[in-house]
């Protein structure tokens, strides 16, 4: 909550819509958590540790994703992890 601030909201046409709260996430901390999750999932499925020299690409916070990408992501098969019983 330390990073919470006010920001001006504008439409794509640059029309002023008012003010709202916004925050700037700590991307370094988020990246560390993502890497731990990926390494944990890799171990869970392979029973092998993912080598430390393997590069895990930094995530992107692009909220304005192309429709084609969203359709592709929605079409991927799902894989549940955890208790199956």
């Amino acid at each position: 909550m330390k990073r919470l601030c006010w920001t001006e909201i504008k439409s794509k046409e640059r029309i002023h819509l008012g003010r709202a709260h916004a925050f700037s996430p700590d991307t370094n901390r988020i990246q560390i958590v993502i890497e731990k999750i990926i390494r944990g999932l890799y171990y869970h499925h392979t029973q092998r540790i993912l080598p430390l020299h393997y590069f895990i690409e930094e995530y992107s916070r692009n909220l304005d994703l192309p429709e084609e990408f969203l359709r592709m992501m929605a079409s991927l098969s799902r894989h549940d992890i955890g208790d199956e019983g």
Side-chain angles (χ1 to χ4, degrees):
M1 297 306 286
K2 292 178 185 178
R3 297 172 179 252
L4 193 64
C5 64
W6 284 99
T7 188
E8 302 295 323
I9 304 296
K10 294 183 180 178
S11 69
K12 289 183 180 180
E13 295 79 22
R14 310 287 296 156
I15 298 171
H16 180 72
L17 301 175
R19 292 174 44 141
H21 281 103
F23 72 98
S24 176
D26 186 342
T27 55
N28 291 333
R29 288 180 64 192
I30 293 170
Q31 183 64 28
I32 290 168
V33 171
I34 289 172
E35 289 183 20
K36 287 181 178 183
I37 291 169
I38 290 170
R39 291 183 185 284
L41 289 171
Y42 182 85
Y43 181 80
H44 176 78
H45 288 281
T46 66
Q47 301 304 305
R48 294 183 311 209
I49 295 173
L50 187 64
L52 291 176
H53 68 274
Y54 278 34
F55 178 73
I56 298 172
E57 189 171 338
E58 192 168 329
Y59 83 100
S60 171
R61 279 196 87 248
N62 184 356
L63 301 178
D64 197 16
L65 297 170
E67 188 65 33
E68 178 183 330
F69 178 78
L70 296 174
R71 277 195 304 274
M72 183 273 301
M73 290 299 289
S75 71
L76 296 174
S77 62
R78 306 288 192 265
H79 184 84
D80 293 329
I81 296 174
D83 285 337
E84 295 182 29

